[in-house]
Amino acid sequence: MKIALGADHGGYELKKLLETFLPGLGHEVLNLGVDGPEPADYPDYARKVAVAVARKEAARGIVVCGSGVGACVAANKVPGIRAGLCHDTYSARQCVEHDDVNVLCLGGRVVGSELAFEIVKAWLSAKFRSQEERYVRRLNKVLALEKEFLSKP
Ligand code: RB5
């Protein structure tokens, strides 16, 4: 799977580790920066990752900032993006199976690298349960919400 990967300075160290971890699992990385520890603004990198996923230049995206929260808020502003902040493997698996989350957000200052690797593995192995009516119905309601408020407050 091609994974768009981005981070601000708070997520830079974890992003660096993911750059080698993901190919080790057989995935291709679309590196969207930041590529150094200098201060960077998380919305810029969340935007790059979210846009790459929304435009189907990558199948899924991962954004890392200090807490994961800012990246998640920003990524969710891009239509077509369902970003989830996951710091446990249960949420990482379920957010794909139930919610079809296509961008994973991580807090580089919250989780250690080994837990982050487990979270990423659980998230990447999960598939949306598209045959189950209740999950499709709920996803369609989320999509309708996005459409309803796309151009108005
Ligand atoms: C940067 O200091 C920090 O605010 C950012 O990485 C992130 O945690 C925001 O949610």
Side-chain angles (χ1 to χ4, degrees), residues 24-103:
L25 292 180
H27 299 289
E28 188 187 343
V29 172
L30 175 63
N31 178 21
L32 298 173
V34 64
D35 292 312
E38 66 279 359
D41 296 339
Y42 67 80
D44 298 340
Y45 296 90
R47 181 187 186 281
K48 283 173 195 268
V49 169
V51 168
V53 174
R55 291 188 181 152
K56 300 194 188 315
E57 291 158 8
R60 293 196 200 172
I62 299 176
V63 200
V64 194
C65 69
S67 65
V69 175
C72 194
V73 169
N76 273 312
K77 298 296 178 192
V78 177
I81 295 308
R82 292 173 297 283
L85 170 61
C86 299
H87 287 152
D88 65 274
T89 55
Y90 174 80
S91 305
R93 180 178 48 77
Q94 193 201 265
C95 77
V96 177
E97 290 183 348
H98 293 200
D99 314 323
D100 202 17
V101 156
N102 51 13
V103 171

Side-chain angles (χ1 to χ4, degrees), residues 103-117:
V103 171
L104 172 68
C105 303
L106 293 166
R109 294 171 180 161
V110 180
V111 283
S113 56
E114 290 304 321
L115 177 56
F117 293 160

Side-chain angles (χ1 to χ4, degrees), residues 16 146 151:
K16 253 198 319 193
E146 180 176 270
S151 56

